[in-house]
mmCIF file of all heavy atoms in Angstrom:
data_model
loop_
_atom_site.group_PDB
_atom_site.id
_atom_site.type_symbol
_atom_site.label_atom_id
_atom_site.label_comp_id
_atom_site.label_asym_id
_atom_site.label_seq_id
_atom_site.Cartn_x
_atom_site.Cartn_y
_atom_site.Cartn_z
ATOM 1 N N ILE B 320 115.130 103.405 102.772
ATOM 2 C CA ILE B 320 115.061 104.556 103.574
ATOM 3 C C ILE B 320 116.247 104.512 104.678
ATOM 4 O O ILE B 320 116.417 103.336 105.259
ATOM 5 C CB ILE B 320 113.728 104.540 104.339
ATOM 6 C CG1 ILE B 320 112.554 104.668 103.355
ATOM 7 C CG2 ILE B 320 113.648 105.596 105.460
ATOM 8 C CD1 ILE B 320 111.175 104.586 103.893
ATOM 9 N N VAL B 321 116.982 105.514 104.648
ATOM 10 C CA VAL B 321 118.262 105.486 105.482
ATOM 11 C C VAL B 321 118.001 106.471 106.643
ATOM 12 O O VAL B 321 117.508 107.586 106.429
ATOM 13 C CB VAL B 321 119.436 105.891 104.701
ATOM 14 C CG1 VAL B 321 120.616 106.379 105.605
ATOM 15 C CG2 VAL B 321 119.925 104.704 103.871
ATOM 16 N N GLU B 322 118.307 106.121 107.731
ATOM 17 C CA GLU B 322 118.231 107.021 108.891
ATOM 18 C C GLU B 322 119.617 107.640 109.185
ATOM 19 O O GLU B 322 120.679 106.941 109.362
ATOM 20 C CB GLU B 322 117.810 106.295 110.192
ATOM 21 C CG GLU B 322 117.567 107.091 111.325
ATOM 22 C CD GLU B 322 116.778 106.395 112.569
ATOM 23 O OE1 GLU B 322 115.685 106.001 112.339
ATOM 24 O OE2 GLU B 322 117.403 106.123 113.661
ATOM 25 N N LEU B 323 119.669 108.960 109.095
ATOM 26 C CA LEU B 323 121.012 109.611 109.149
ATOM 27 C C LEU B 323 121.466 109.660 110.737
ATOM 28 O O LEU B 323 120.570 109.504 111.529
ATOM 29 C CB LEU B 323 120.814 111.042 108.715
ATOM 30 C CG LEU B 323 120.424 111.195 107.219
ATOM 31 C CD1 LEU B 323 120.096 112.550 106.897
ATOM 32 C CD2 LEU B 323 121.441 110.642 106.282
ATOM 33 N N SER B 324 122.752 109.835 110.885
ATOM 34 C CA SER B 324 123.234 109.793 112.332
ATOM 35 C C SER B 324 122.588 111.010 113.057
ATOM 36 O O SER B 324 122.395 110.959 114.259
ATOM 37 C CB SER B 324 124.794 109.959 112.275
ATOM 38 O OG SER B 324 125.130 111.217 111.759
ATOM 39 N N GLU B 325 122.113 112.058 112.300
ATOM 40 C CA GLU B 325 121.496 113.275 112.996
ATOM 41 C C GLU B 325 120.036 113.008 113.310
ATOM 42 O O GLU B 325 119.472 113.801 113.941
ATOM 43 C CB GLU B 325 121.635 114.506 111.990
ATOM 44 C CG GLU B 325 122.962 115.032 111.740
ATOM 45 C CD GLU B 325 123.615 114.336 110.560
ATOM 46 O OE1 GLU B 325 123.142 113.320 110.029
ATOM 47 O OE2 GLU B 325 124.716 114.889 110.031
ATOM 48 N N GLY B 326 119.503 111.903 112.807
ATOM 49 C CA GLY B 326 118.178 111.502 113.130
ATOM 50 C C GLY B 326 117.209 111.336 111.910
ATOM 51 O O GLY B 326 116.365 110.435 111.866
ATOM 52 N N PRO B 327 117.126 112.493 111.133
ATOM 53 C CA PRO B 327 116.060 112.316 110.035
ATOM 54 C C PRO B 327 116.308 111.089 109.054
ATOM 55 O O PRO B 327 117.454 110.620 108.955
ATOM 56 C CB PRO B 327 116.314 113.611 109.258
ATOM 57 C CG PRO B 327 116.983 114.536 110.208
ATOM 58 C CD PRO B 327 117.776 113.597 111.102
ATOM 59 N N ARG B 328 115.239 110.785 108.459
ATOM 60 C CA ARG B 328 115.364 109.672 107.520
ATOM 61 C C ARG B 328 115.025 110.185 106.047
ATOM 62 O O ARG B 328 114.388 111.273 105.884
ATOM 63 C CB ARG B 328 114.289 108.582 107.706
ATOM 64 C CG ARG B 328 114.433 107.919 109.063
ATOM 65 C CD ARG B 328 113.424 106.676 109.068
ATOM 66 N NE ARG B 328 113.472 106.324 110.587
ATOM 67 C CZ ARG B 328 112.368 106.074 111.246
ATOM 68 N NH1 ARG B 328 111.136 106.260 110.683
ATOM 69 N NH2 ARG B 328 112.284 105.767 112.535
ATOM 70 N N LEU B 329 115.586 109.517 105.003
ATOM 71 C CA LEU B 329 115.354 109.979 103.587
ATOM 72 C C LEU B 329 115.302 108.673 102.836
ATOM 73 O O LEU B 329 115.760 107.648 103.082
ATOM 74 C CB LEU B 329 116.322 110.927 103.193
ATOM 75 C CG LEU B 329 117.700 110.309 102.775
ATOM 76 C CD1 LEU B 329 118.485 111.490 101.882
ATOM 77 C CD2 LEU B 329 118.567 109.929 103.826
ATOM 78 N N MET B 330 114.536 108.915 101.634
ATOM 79 C CA MET B 330 114.442 107.814 100.645
ATOM 80 C C MET B 330 115.745 107.948 99.870
ATOM 81 O O MET B 330 116.170 109.130 99.586
ATOM 82 C CB MET B 330 113.264 108.075 99.789
ATOM 83 C CG MET B 330 113.188 106.901 98.722
ATOM 84 S SD MET B 330 111.689 106.981 97.705
ATOM 85 C CE MET B 330 110.445 106.264 98.757
ATOM 86 N N THR B 331 116.379 106.918 99.477
ATOM 87 C CA THR B 331 117.608 106.920 98.827
ATOM 88 C C THR B 331 117.864 105.608 98.064
ATOM 89 O O THR B 331 117.003 104.682 98.085
ATOM 90 C CB THR B 331 118.800 107.165 99.748
ATOM 91 O OG1 THR B 331 119.925 107.482 98.936
ATOM 92 C CG2 THR B 331 118.956 106.135 100.691
ATOM 93 N N CYS B 332 119.047 105.323 97.589
ATOM 94 C CA CYS B 332 119.420 104.159 96.899
ATOM 95 C C CYS B 332 120.715 103.779 97.498
ATOM 96 O O CYS B 332 121.736 104.500 97.596
ATOM 97 C CB CYS B 332 119.662 104.384 95.337
ATOM 98 S SG CYS B 332 120.230 102.969 94.495
ATOM 99 N N VAL B 333 120.741 102.476 98.010
ATOM 100 C CA VAL B 333 122.139 101.990 98.511
ATOM 101 C C VAL B 333 122.808 101.324 97.294
ATOM 102 O O VAL B 333 122.230 100.478 96.594
ATOM 103 C CB VAL B 333 121.910 100.988 99.576
ATOM 104 C CG1 VAL B 333 123.068 100.323 100.034
ATOM 105 C CG2 VAL B 333 121.190 101.635 100.782
ATOM 106 N N THR B 334 124.091 101.698 97.113
ATOM 107 C CA THR B 334 124.880 101.346 95.963
ATOM 108 C C THR B 334 126.151 100.452 96.443
ATOM 109 O O THR B 334 126.410 100.419 97.531
ATOM 110 C CB THR B 334 125.371 102.523 95.248
ATOM 111 O OG1 THR B 334 126.197 103.422 96.096
ATOM 112 C CG2 THR B 334 124.168 103.397 94.562
ATOM 113 N N GLY B 335 126.614 99.834 95.489
ATOM 114 C CA GLY B 335 127.922 99.103 95.666
ATOM 115 C C GLY B 335 127.684 97.665 95.908
ATOM 116 O O GLY B 335 128.710 96.816 95.955
ATOM 117 N N ILE B 336 126.471 97.236 96.131
ATOM 118 C CA ILE B 336 126.109 95.794 96.258
ATOM 119 C C ILE B 336 124.810 95.504 95.574
ATOM 120 O O ILE B 336 124.153 96.439 95.102
ATOM 121 C CB ILE B 336 125.879 95.352 97.781
ATOM 122 C CG1 ILE B 336 124.859 96.319 98.492
ATOM 123 C CG2 ILE B 336 127.226 95.455 98.559
ATOM 124 C CD1 ILE B 336 124.496 95.770 99.950
ATOM 125 N N ALA B 337 124.530 94.385 95.268
ATOM 126 C CA ALA B 337 123.176 93.946 94.676
ATOM 127 C C ALA B 337 122.045 94.349 95.565
ATOM 128 O O ALA B 337 122.138 94.312 96.728
ATOM 129 C CB ALA B 337 123.247 92.281 94.441
ATOM 130 N N PRO B 338 120.970 94.895 94.835
ATOM 131 C CA PRO B 338 119.874 95.322 95.525
ATOM 132 C C PRO B 338 119.375 94.252 96.515
ATOM 133 O O PRO B 338 118.886 94.717 97.711
ATOM 134 C CB PRO B 338 118.785 95.602 94.487
ATOM 135 C CG PRO B 338 119.553 95.729 93.234
ATOM 136 C CD PRO B 338 120.911 94.958 93.392
ATOM 137 N N GLY B 339 119.253 93.001 96.169
ATOM 138 C CA GLY B 339 118.736 92.089 97.128
ATOM 139 C C GLY B 339 119.765 91.785 98.365
ATOM 140 O O GLY B 339 119.318 91.122 99.255
ATOM 141 N N ASP B 340 120.906 92.336 98.400
ATOM 142 C CA ASP B 340 121.731 92.171 99.456
ATOM 143 C C ASP B 340 121.729 93.306 100.482
ATOM 144 O O ASP B 340 122.391 93.257 101.556
ATOM 145 C CB ASP B 340 123.215 91.973 98.969
ATOM 146 C CG ASP B 340 123.487 90.716 98.180
ATOM 147 O OD1 ASP B 340 122.613 89.702 98.481
ATOM 148 O OD2 ASP B 340 124.280 90.521 97.372
ATOM 149 N N VAL B 341 120.964 94.294 100.160
ATOM 150 C CA VAL B 341 120.828 95.415 101.158
ATOM 151 C C VAL B 341 120.014 94.927 102.457
ATOM 152 O O VAL B 341 119.038 94.193 102.195
ATOM 153 C CB VAL B 341 120.119 96.617 100.576
ATOM 154 C CG1 VAL B 341 120.029 97.807 101.474
ATOM 155 C CG2 VAL B 341 120.914 97.111 99.284
ATOM 156 N N ARG B 342 120.474 95.143 103.533
ATOM 157 C CA ARG B 342 119.936 94.689 104.803
ATOM 158 C C ARG B 342 119.543 95.799 105.741
ATOM 159 O O ARG B 342 120.300 96.794 105.852
ATOM 160 C CB ARG B 342 120.769 93.665 105.541
ATOM 161 C CG ARG B 342 121.031 92.458 104.760
ATOM 162 C CD ARG B 342 119.893 91.544 104.953
ATOM 163 N NE ARG B 342 120.072 90.250 104.135
ATOM 164 C CZ ARG B 342 119.765 90.163 102.730
ATOM 165 N NH1 ARG B 342 119.087 91.156 102.114
ATOM 166 N NH2 ARG B 342 120.062 89.098 102.032
ATOM 167 N N ILE B 343 118.402 95.705 106.370
ATOM 168 C CA ILE B 343 118.016 96.688 107.390
ATOM 169 C C ILE B 343 119.140 96.620 108.612
ATOM 170 O O ILE B 343 119.574 95.491 108.939
ATOM 171 C CB ILE B 343 116.709 96.257 108.042
ATOM 172 C CG1 ILE B 343 115.532 96.674 106.917
ATOM 173 C CG2 ILE B 343 116.473 97.181 109.294
ATOM 174 C CD1 ILE B 343 114.199 96.052 107.407
ATOM 175 N N GLY B 344 119.529 97.802 108.973
ATOM 176 C CA GLY B 344 120.593 97.891 109.945
ATOM 177 C C GLY B 344 122.045 98.093 109.529
ATOM 178 O O GLY B 344 122.849 98.308 110.291
ATOM 179 N N MET B 345 122.108 97.906 108.187
ATOM 180 C CA MET B 345 123.523 98.059 107.622
ATOM 181 C C MET B 345 123.925 99.532 107.714
ATOM 182 O O MET B 345 123.207 100.520 107.480
ATOM 183 C CB MET B 345 123.257 97.743 106.023
ATOM 184 C CG MET B 345 124.547 97.456 105.252
ATOM 185 S SD MET B 345 123.972 96.790 103.635
ATOM 186 C CE MET B 345 124.251 95.072 103.836
ATOM 187 N N ALA B 346 125.249 99.783 108.003
ATOM 188 C CA ALA B 346 125.818 100.999 108.060
ATOM 189 C C ALA B 346 126.212 101.547 106.684
ATOM 190 O O ALA B 346 126.756 100.661 105.932
ATOM 191 C CB ALA B 346 126.976 101.027 109.046
#
Side-chain angles (χ1 to χ4, degrees):
Chain B
I320 293 178
V321 164
E322 186 166 295
L323 300 173
S324 66
E325 295 91 344
R328 297 187 194 133
L329 77 166
M330 182 178 281
T331 187
C332 177
V333 174
T334 56
I336 55 174
D340 291 338
V341 180
R342 293 284 174 267
I343 291 173
M345 196 174 256

